[in-house]
Amino acid sequence: MADAVTNGFTEKFYGSTDGLRLYARNYQPTGGDTDRLPVVCLPGLTRNARDFHELALILSRDAAFPRRVMALDYRGRGLSDRDDNKANYNLAVECGDVIAGCAAFGIDRAIFVGTSRGGLILHLMAGIKPELLAGVILNDIGPVIEPAGLMAIRDYLNRDRKPQSWSEAVDILRENHGAAFTALSLTDWEGMAHAIYREQNGIPVADYDPAIAEQSKTIDFNNSLPDLWPQFESLGSMSLLVIRGENSNLLSRRTTDEMAKRHPDMAPITAKGQGHAPLLHLGDIPEAIRIFIGRLS
């Protein structure tokens, strides 16, 4: 595995079981204390490790209890290899990649943060590899996905408009998501743009395999979407924090209420002024995460 030290983290690569080169960021705790449970961050459908940079710095540099944070790029996203077999862009394969990454980096137990698709992967991991999960944080995701939210993601990913500059990238994000993310400042929008896009030849381009967006077109909304309640039951014995965007169209209040009924020890929090999926370094979310993971150590 090749390493490169950069802004607050070390870049690492590891191999998938089918030979792809996958990327991760490793944020070491200040002071070098590695005895505490690490945190592993899993991004959304087309997102990458950059989404967690600010949160990872907060947790790894915590004045009282700093801890190691890992953030992963799935295959086809960020700095990980694209997959020639586009059918491998699925939850089961990506779950296997996460498990392989934990093994490669010597993580046998951790607290996991799953945003959107990352949270769906954690539903699967709870049944496949429960011993890895010391605690779970689900960011705006649960066992039931609202069709309207999924349609919005599909439509957004498949729009033709592409930015020609970073300022235009910010404008596009604000046009598409501004109504749901009223809490964001201009700096926040700029940070989001740099997490989603990567610069190529002076132009920001979406940092994922276009085949993933194409795949979303095949969803049949004429039939009910499958739920993951059986997999959610596997989370029942684990400490659980659920973050829901106040304006989310993907995770409903009805679903979070039902999750709380089925998991009495679940800790819920609402990300005020945010939609799908909340930025985890804003507002009172970092403190809620600090308290939650502190109780697990």
Side-chain angles (χ1 to χ4, degrees):
M1 289 182 287
D3 296 353
V5 179
T6 184
N7 182 26
F9 59 90
T10 301
E11 294 190 310
K12 290 183 171 289
F13 292 89
Y14 71 99
S16 69
T17 57
D18 56 352
L20 294 186
R21 187 171 183 255
L22 304 180
Y23 173 84
R25 288 183 170 192
N26 180 35
Y27 297 77
Q28 288 285 27
T30 53
D33 187 347
T34 57
D35 291 337
R36 299 185 184 93
L37 284 168
V39 175
V40 178
C41 300
L42 308 180
L45 176 63
T46 58
R47 306 295 279 266
N48 58 72
R50 297 196 297 277
D51 273 345
F52 299 101
H53 179 64
E54 289 85 357
L55 177 68
L57 291 178
I58 290 170
L59 298 180
S60 63
R61 297 175 178 178
D62 184 89
F65 303 108
R67 67 184 66 233
R68 179 188 185 192
V69 180
M70 298 289 302
L72 309 184
D73 283 357
Y74 310 130
R75 60 180 63 207
R77 290 82 159 180
L79 295 181
S80 288
D81 284 348
R82 275 37 175 171
D83 196 325
D84 291 335
N85 181 1
K86 307 309 179 184
N88 283 337
Y89 294 136
N90 66 68
L91 291 175
V93 171
E94 290 161 17
C95 180
D97 290 343
V98 172
I99 293 171
C102 290
F105 301 129
I107 296 173
D108 54 17
R109 192 161 172 78
I111 302 160
F112 284 79
V113 182
T115 292
S116 196
R117 189 178 185 86
L120 297 179
I121 289 172
L122 291 175
H123 279 70
L124 298 189
M125 283 183 64
I128 297 170
K129 198 78 170 174
E131 63 272 20
L132 263 178
L133 307 177
V136 171
I137 299 172
L138 299 178
N139 183 21
D140 211 57
I141 194 66
V144 176
I145 296 175
E146 297 301 315
L150 197 55
M151 285 181 188
I153 292 173
R154 177 202 62 188
D155 295 344
Y156 167 72
L157 292 180
N158 289 285
R159 287 191 182 117
D160 290 333
R161 185 180 176 193
K162 294 177 174 56
Q164 298 301 307
S165 66
W166 283 107
S167 61
E168 190 175 354
V170 170
D171 290 341
I172 291 172
L173 290 176
R174 296 180 79 166
E175 289 169 13
N176 285 302
H177 306 296
F181 285 87
T182 57
L184 271 59
S185 67
L186 176 58
T187 299
D188 297 326
W189 287 111
E190 291 171 344
M192 184 189 292
H194 282 275
I196 293 174
Y197 297 98
R198 179 176 298 280
E199 188 167 307
Q200 291 184 3
N201 301 318
I203 297 175
V205 296
D207 202 12
Y208 60 86
D209 189 334
I212 298 170
E214 284 293 320
Q215 202 176 58
S216 68
K217 295 179 181 179
T218 66
I219 301 171
D220 183 3
F221 288 99
N222 292 317
N223 295 316
S224 298
L225 297 174
D227 65 57
L228 293 177
W229 285 118
Q231 290 79 7
F232 180 79
E233 297 299 332
S234 298
L235 295 169
S237 61
M238 304 169 191
S239 295
L240 178 64
L241 172 65
V242 174
I243 301 164
R244 179 183 179 273
E246 181 180 30
N247 304 318
S248 175
N249 58 3
L250 197 82
L251 177 64
S252 70
R253 291 190 184 90
R254 178 177 58 188
T255 296
T256 53
D257 289 346
E258 182 62 25
M259 292 165 72
K261 288 180 183 177
R262 299 193 188 202
H263 195 306
D265 293 328
M266 183 185 101
I269 182 174
T270 299
K272 296 179 180 178
Q274 296 206 60
H276 181 81
L279 279 63
L280 296 179
H281 60 283
L282 298 184
D284 56 0
I285 299 176
E287 183 62 18
I289 292 175
R290 287 182 65 255
I291 292 171
F292 175 78
I293 64 178
R295 291 171 179 165
L296 298 178
S297 300

